[in-house]
Amino acid sequence: MKTFKFLSNTALVFSLVMLASCSSDNDFDAENEAKTTARKIEFKANIVLGDSTDVTRATLESDNNVTWDENDQILVFCDNAEQAVTFGITPSSIDGKTATFTNYGEVLPLWFDPWDYYYALYPHASQTTFIPESYSITSLMPTNQYVSSGRTYDKNALLMVACADKDERIFNFKNIPSLVKVTISNNVAGKVKFVEIVADNQANRLSGNFEVRPAYNSDKINFFASSSAEKKHTVKLQVPANEESVDYYIAVLPSKINGYTIKFEGADSKVVFQRHSSKTLELKRSKIYNFGSFDIDTEVK
């Protein structure tokens, strides 16, 4: 079985470019010249290995080494503003243990200057907002997840957050979701196209909106009840046809569920077979929970 590991201390480079509004045409050039000089700020990253049940967002290689994706992006917020700035990874910085994110020399807004802390979400997610009053990030755990080529999980669902001190400038990313593992074998004809987890109690939240506050220099994440109505007690992963036995991972919000049904669906989301469990489970963030192995040839006639 492939093992997931913690990812910690993600590296960033911010080229801070300051603009000034000018009071007259005569002083425009002088003000602009003085405040558009790029200033580099580095955020270092390292990978800290956890135990075999820990998960990570970055790419998991066949030898269980963790690497970054060359197109990765993150959102960075300041503690004094609601807006975010997007930073892209520098491909040459990827060595499997560290990485650098940069704005590639683009001009940054004047408000991008925190009082004390930066906050970040990885990977980049367009639905994300920041609440300066509570220093919390709101985003969305996708209800419908998709496996892209070469993966066994949806990379956009394995979200992480971090808080960096303005002076120390280190992002210690923390995993948000739990992972549900489902092993599928003999799905050669693609009889199963989706795997869906449905909590018995509709009040149990597996996906949808969430609000979190990452603690500085700590492994702790505080979760808050989101005010949004977009809360789902289901989550579904699309899976490809495959003749081998494959471990798939479904990202869910940490929660306590009072029983669940695992559904295997074919074309048009028609249920081809399902299993129910009345067991109460507490799904903790950054942990993997094995929901069983399923032979499609045996289960689907």
Side-chain angles (χ1 to χ4, degrees):
M1 182 188 76
K2 294 184 177 180
T3 302
F4 286 81
K5 306 181 179 73
F6 261 141
L7 177 62
S8 178
N9 303 342
T10 298
L12 313 175
V13 173
F14 295 166
S15 299
L16 294 186
V17 183
M18 305 301 292
L19 288 180
S21 58
C22 303
S23 58
S24 69
D25 291 339
N26 291 333
D27 63 6
F28 179 85
D29 289 339
E31 289 286 323
N32 197 51
E33 181 179 356
K35 296 194 176 184
T36 57
T37 301
R39 185 163 63 94
K40 181 183 293 185
I41 300 179
E42 293 186 346
F43 290 75
K44 298 298 181 182
N46 296 290
I47 294 172
V48 178
L49 302 182
D51 62 45
S52 61
T53 59
D54 291 330
V55 302
T56 183
R57 216 307 279 140
T59 301
L60 184 70
E61 304 296 336
S62 58
D63 58 1
N64 291 336
N65 285 326
V66 177
T67 63
W68 298 88
D69 287 346
E70 62 179 12
N71 296 318
D72 275 340
Q73 291 183 321
I74 62 171
L75 288 178
V76 180
F77 298 87
C78 292
D79 54 16
N80 59 357
E82 296 178 357
Q83 302 94 328
V85 173
T86 300
F87 289 85
I89 201 166
T90 303
S92 60
S93 75
I94 304 172
D95 67 2
K97 295 182 179 180
T98 64
T100 298
F101 287 81
T102 179
N103 68 332
Y104 296 103
E106 295 180 3
V107 173
L108 293 173
L110 281 171
W111 51 259
F112 198 73
D113 185 19
W115 295 315
D116 295 301
Y117 299 107
Y118 294 104
Y119 293 84
L121 179 84
Y122 175 72
H124 178 286
S126 59
Q127 312 96 324
T128 305
T129 59
F130 183 71
I131 306 174
E133 293 79 11
S134 60
Y135 305 120
S136 58
I137 293 173
T138 67
S139 194
L140 184 73
M141 176 63 66
T143 301
N144 296 302
Q145 300 175 18
Y146 302 90
V147 175
S148 57
S149 178
R151 296 184 185 277
T152 57
Y153 56 90
D154 187 333
K155 62 173 288 185
N156 293 316
L158 272 68
L159 297 159
M160 299 197 297
V161 289
C163 175
D165 181 82
K166 182 178 181 180
D167 298 318
E168 190 178 43
R169 303 165 189 167
I170 297 176
F171 274 120
N172 295 306
F173 275 99
K174 303 166 186 68
N175 303 292
I176 289 177
S178 306
L179 286 186
V180 170
K181 185 181 81 169
V182 178
T183 303
I184 298 178
S185 59
N186 294 317
N187 193 32
V188 182
K191 295 179 181 178
V192 170
K193 300 185 181 300
F194 303 94
V195 179
E196 183 175 16
I197 307 296
V198 182
D200 287 356
N201 188 341
Q202 293 189 13
N204 296 155
R205 184 184 57 177
L206 294 178
S207 61
N209 290 87
F210 62 87
E211 181 179 334
V212 294
R213 182 193 302 163
Y216 171 68
N217 202 24
S218 169
D219 287 336
K220 187 176 181 180
I221 297 179
N222 293 314
F223 283 81
F224 300 90
S226 174
S227 60
S228 170
E230 183 64 22
K231 300 176 183 178
K232 304 290 187 180
H233 70 295
T234 69
V235 63
K236 180 187 292 189
L237 178 70
Q238 163 269 327
V239 296
N242 201 315
E243 63 181 350
E244 300 176 353
S245 178
V246 180
D247 296 335
Y248 293 102
Y249 298 89
I250 306 172
V252 300
L253 290 173
S255 62
K256 186 176 182 179
I257 58 175
N258 309 111
Y260 65 91
T261 299
I262 180 169
K263 298 181 179 181
F264 296 82
E265 303 169 359
D268 301 322
S269 295
K270 180 180 178 181
V271 177
V272 293
F273 73 97
Q274 63 184 31
R275 293 288 182 272
H276 178 261
S277 172
S278 58
K279 183 179 180 180
T280 295
L281 290 176
E282 184 174 358
L283 304 174
K284 298 180 179 180
R285 73 168 191 86
S286 197
K287 299 297 180 182
I288 297 175
Y289 297 86
N290 190 349
F291 274 33
S293 300
F294 302 87
D295 186 322
I296 305 306
D297 276 349
T298 302
E299 300 288 355
V300 182
K301 305 303 182 181

